[in-house]
């Protein structure tokens, strides 16, 4: 076997792109309507590019549903788990937050895993620790196995959180990339809402078993979708690259322009060159990395995960009697808000939604802070106390809505869009790890801060959101309507944030 053959063998994806579309794509330019009719309805369906891309997105979206279910699991199970296993509050808090440690490790490894095994292959790898982790939690006799299961689940979630937005960005047409990319966060919110909902009806062990389902369905589903064409091109697998792109755009679509753009982009970077940390000092590298890290970190320091992880406790502090029902309602609001963002991302643009989102979060967080401050100076029996409690609930709902329509989904979209292809492995891992490190800090300290001073806690979160507004206004570029290759060639990498 020649050196070239050996190289190509190493670069094969873990899950082969499959022959079910390669035959059709290779004949696409000469396929007649008669041939299409002979092939049947399935061929007609796959010729529609929106169907093929949307199908791919819906399948990989099972990964973020797993992500959201993992994050939402602790809210409805806290009291029951503490009673059954005789856990202390600190032990349960460690169980809840340790998932972020596993996710950090997964995020650090995610770039290399996704680059070596392919985007689909990395999702298969992520599914394994997720499934084992849920089984460990379900059958745990004590806290030690709970921690092991939570760490394993976090590791899988860390890989998913990087791989899914990158895969969606790499397969999506430029005019729908924002909306399709927002499906990632929409799926996270659906997973969280499902955990809240199911947790009201089943015990914590059964809920852990149900947590296996998203990855159990995702793994076989990956066999029916193509690998990322940009990853295949970078690996030098030209035949698979063109076949993958053809099925994503439709057998009747001329893909020659996009093929040439991707080839030029890949040719300008060397896949054999090892990227070092010192390479990130160049402005065309550190500037987009700073934007990616900035959005992911600032969205977390707004306290959103502290609110979602401990929403039941916050609602109780606010005087809400049915805190579990209110928590589920908050999950529903989050899904609706993220759905609106998915619809608007390619219409209104990323920057406008981010500005509206960070402005709304700042105002709603200050509203909650003021409500908690005022609750502390009036009698609990007064009408004013009830009014301020209602005001804090309204503020929390507005916070979740404004987060969900902007920075919630779009931080991941922009990160996956702007990172140059030659540093995406290293830079993507760094950005995703920074996200999970910040999440861990927030979820670990939120309960302590809330017990210290609820009003003060939300004032801190509001100040971060105000800085986020400044950050977005000054530095975040608009990527709507641009191909990923056009984004890489833009002036953002040399002279500023505008295109």
């Amino acid at each position: 076997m020649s050196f070239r053959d050996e190289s190509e063998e190493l670069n094969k994806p873990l899950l082969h792109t499959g022959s079910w579309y390669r035959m059709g794509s290779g004949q696409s330019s000469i396929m007649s309507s008669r041939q299409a009719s002979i092939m049947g309805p399935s061929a007609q369906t796959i010729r529609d590019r929106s169907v093929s891309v949307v199908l791919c997105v819906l399948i990989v979206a099972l990964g973020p549903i797993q992500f959201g279910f993992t994050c939402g699991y602790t809210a409805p199970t806290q009291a029951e788990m503490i009673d059954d296993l005789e856990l202390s509050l600190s032990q349960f808090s460690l169980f809840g937050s340790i998932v972020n440690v596993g996710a950090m490790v997964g995020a650090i490894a995610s770039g290399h895993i996704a680059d070596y095994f392919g985007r689909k292959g990395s999702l298969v790898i992520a599914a394994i620790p997720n499934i084992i982790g849920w089984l460990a939690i379900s059958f745990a006799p004590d806290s030690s196995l709970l921690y092991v299961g939570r760490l394993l689940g976090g590791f899988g979630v860390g890989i998913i959180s990087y791989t899914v937005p990158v895969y969606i960005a790499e397969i999506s047409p430029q005019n729908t990339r924002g909306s399709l990319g927002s499906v990632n966060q929409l799926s996270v919110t659906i997973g969280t809402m499902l955990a809240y909902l199911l947790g009201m009806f089943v015990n914590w062990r059964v809920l852990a078993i149900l947590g296996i389902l998203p990855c159990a369905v995702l793994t076989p589903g990956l066999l029916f979708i193509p690998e990322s064409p940009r990853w295949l091109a970078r690996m030098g697998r030209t035949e698979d690259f063109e076949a993958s792109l053809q099925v994503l755009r439709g057998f009747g679509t001329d893909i020659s322009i996009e093929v040439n753009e991707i080839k030029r982009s890949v040719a300008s970077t060397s896949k054999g060159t090892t990227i070092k940390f010192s390479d990130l000092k160049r402005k065309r590298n550190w500037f987009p990395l700073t934007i990616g890290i900035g959005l992911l970190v600032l969205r977390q320091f707004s306290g959103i995960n502290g609110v979602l992880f401990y929403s039941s406790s916050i609602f109780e502090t606010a005087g809400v009697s049915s805190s579990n029902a209110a928590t589920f309602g908050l999950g529903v609001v989050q899904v609706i808000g993220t759905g609106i963002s998915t619809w608007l991302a390619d219409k209104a643009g990323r920057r406008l939604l981010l500005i509206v989102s960070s402005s709304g979060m700042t105002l709603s967080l200050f509203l909650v802070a003021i409500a908690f401050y005022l609750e502390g100076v009036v009698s609990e029996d007064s009408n004013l106390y009830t009014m301020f409690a209602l005001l804090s609930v309204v503020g929390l709902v507005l916070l979740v809505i404004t987060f969900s329509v902007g920075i919630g989904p779009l931080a991941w979209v922009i990160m996956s869009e702007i990172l140059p292809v030659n540093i995406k492995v290293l830079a993507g891992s760094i950005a995703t790890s920074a996200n999970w490190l910040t999440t861990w800090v927030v979820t670990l300290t939120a309960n302590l801060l809330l017990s210290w001073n609820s009003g003060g806690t939300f004032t801190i979160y509001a100040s971060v959101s105000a800085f986020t507004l400044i950050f977005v206004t000054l530095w975040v570029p608009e990527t709507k309507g641009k191909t990923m290759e056009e984004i890489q060639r833009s002036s953002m990498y040399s002279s500023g944030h505008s295109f």
Side-chain angles (χ1 to χ4, degrees):
M1 180 182 289
S2 67
F3 173 79
R4 181 180 176 184
D5 291 337
E6 291 176 355
S7 175
E8 288 185 356
E9 190 68 26
L10 287 174
N11 290 333
K12 282 186 178 180
L14 184 61
L15 286 182
H16 197 272
T17 51
S19 59
W20 65 271
Y21 65 82
R22 283 180 58 186
M23 178 183 71
S25 63
Q27 298 173 347
S28 61
S29 61
I30 60 171
M31 182 186 291
S32 65
S33 57
R34 178 175 175 276
Q35 288 173 309
S37 63
I38 292 173
M39 290 176 69
S42 60
Q44 294 293 338
T45 300
I46 204 168
R47 288 170 64 89
D48 184 342
R49 73 176 181 185
S50 64
V51 170
S52 59
V53 173
V54 169
L55 175 64
C56 295
V57 172
L58 291 177
I59 289 175
V60 298
L62 290 165
I65 287 176
Q66 178 74 84
F67 177 169
F69 198 95
T70 302
C71 294
Y73 178 79
T74 53
T77 58
Q78 178 171 338
E80 192 177 18
M81 289 183 72
I82 288 175
D83 289 342
D84 285 357
L85 298 181
E86 298 181 350
L87 304 176
S88 66
L89 183 61
S90 61
Q91 285 177 312
F92 186 83
S93 295
L94 179 60
F95 169 73
S97 63
I98 203 171
V99 67
N100 300 300
V101 177
M104 274 189 285
V105 177
I108 291 169
S110 62
H112 292 286
I113 292 173
D115 203 47
Y116 189 82
F117 294 105
R119 312 320 189 200
K120 296 192 336 177
S122 66
L123 290 177
V124 173
I125 292 171
I128 296 170
N130 265 300
I131 292 172
I132 296 173
W134 283 120
L135 289 172
I137 292 171
S138 181
F139 294 102
D142 52 37
S143 60
S144 58
L145 199 56
L146 286 179
Y147 298 152
V148 171
R150 194 74 167 158
L151 277 170
L152 286 171
F155 180 80
V157 163
I159 298 173
I160 288 169
S161 65
Y162 168 80
T163 306
V164 171
V166 167
Y167 176 81
I168 293 175
E170 290 180 344
I171 69 169
S172 301
Q174 66 192 64
N175 62 325
T176 59
R177 193 175 59 243
S179 295
L180 292 174
S182 297
V183 171
N184 175 66
Q185 183 65 21
L186 177 62
S187 300
V188 173
T189 63
I190 291 172
T192 303
M193 183 189 69
L194 288 173
Y196 292 163
L197 176 63
L198 295 172
M200 295 170 65
F201 302 103
V202 300
N203 67 43
W204 63 273
R205 293 188 188 275
V206 175
L207 190 62
I209 291 292
L210 294 176
I212 295 172
L213 293 178
C215 279
V217 178
L218 169 65
T219 304
L222 291 170
L223 296 171
F224 298 95
I225 63 175
E227 180 58 87
S228 160
R230 286 175 171 83
W231 180 80
L232 291 168
R234 188 165 176 267
M235 292 298 105
R237 303 189 64 81
T238 304
E239 184 181 0
D240 283 336
F241 147 56
E242 293 184 9
S244 175
L245 188 62
Q246 186 73 72
V247 74
L248 289 167
R249 301 295 178 259
F251 288 163
T253 303
D254 182 2
I255 61 170
S256 57
I257 294 176
E258 191 170 2
V259 165
N260 290 332
E261 278 195 358
I262 294 173
K263 285 181 176 178
R264 281 197 301 269
S265 177
V266 170
S268 66
T269 61
S270 173
K271 71 176 182 180
T273 302
T274 301
I275 300 298
K276 303 176 182 177
F277 280 96
S278 58
D279 295 322
L280 301 180
K281 295 179 181 178
R282 298 167 57 194
K283 181 167 184 178
R284 67 170 287 105
N285 292 336
W286 70 254
F287 189 72
L289 177 58
T290 300
I291 293 172
I293 291 177
L295 288 175
L296 291 174
V297 166
L298 288 171
R299 75 196 280 273
Q300 294 299 342
F301 274 136
S302 70
I304 187 64
N305 271 319
V307 171
L308 295 175
F309 271 51
Y310 307 112
S311 54
S312 294
S313 174
I314 295 171
F315 281 129
E316 286 179 8
T317 303
V320 177
S321 57
S322 182
S323 57
N324 282 339
T327 297
F328 171 66
L330 206 62
V332 174
V333 168
Q334 191 180 16
V335 171
I336 294 172
T338 310
I340 293 172
S341 176
T342 302
W343 175 59
L344 288 176
D346 287 307
K347 295 179 174 64
R350 280 60 145 171
R351 270 175 57 82
L352 177 60
L353 288 178
L354 287 173
I355 290 171
V356 171
S357 175
S358 51
S359 300
M361 289 175 66
T362 303
L363 293 175
S364 58
L365 284 164
F366 273 125
L367 180 63
V368 176
I370 292 170
F372 275 119
Y373 275 127
L374 294 176
E375 275 188 52
V377 298
V378 300
S379 170
E380 293 186 13
D381 298 326
S382 68
N383 291 331
L384 284 176
Y385 184 88
T386 302
M387 184 182 73
F388 294 145
L390 179 61
L391 193 64
S392 63
V393 172
V394 170
L396 288 174
V397 172
L398 290 175
L399 168 66
V400 172
I401 291 174
T402 51
F403 172 84
S404 300
V405 299
I407 197 168
L410 294 179
W412 290 108
V413 171
I414 291 175
M415 184 276 289
S416 63
E417 288 178 328
I418 67 174
L419 292 180
V421 65
N422 61 312
I423 67 161
K424 186 165 281 189
V425 172
L426 178 60
S429 295
I430 292 172
T432 309
S433 300
N435 171 80
W436 285 109
L437 175 62
T438 313
T439 306
W440 177 67
V441 171
V442 170
T443 54
L444 193 63
T445 60
N447 261 339
L448 297 175
L449 288 171
L450 289 167
S451 62
W452 161 68
N453 189 307
S454 297
T457 300
F458 282 98
T459 300
I460 294 170
Y461 293 158
S463 300
V464 173
S465 289
F467 180 76
T468 305
L469 175 60
I470 297 171
F471 180 84
V472 169
T473 303
L474 294 180
W475 291 297
V476 176
E478 179 57 76
T479 57
K480 180 185 108 173
K482 302 289 182 180
T483 67
M484 296 184 73
E485 287 67 39
E486 287 172 335
I487 294 171
Q488 309 309 312
R489 295 194 299 267
S490 73
S491 60
M492 178 185 73
Y493 297 99
S494 57
S495 60
H497 71 275
S498 61
F499 285 88

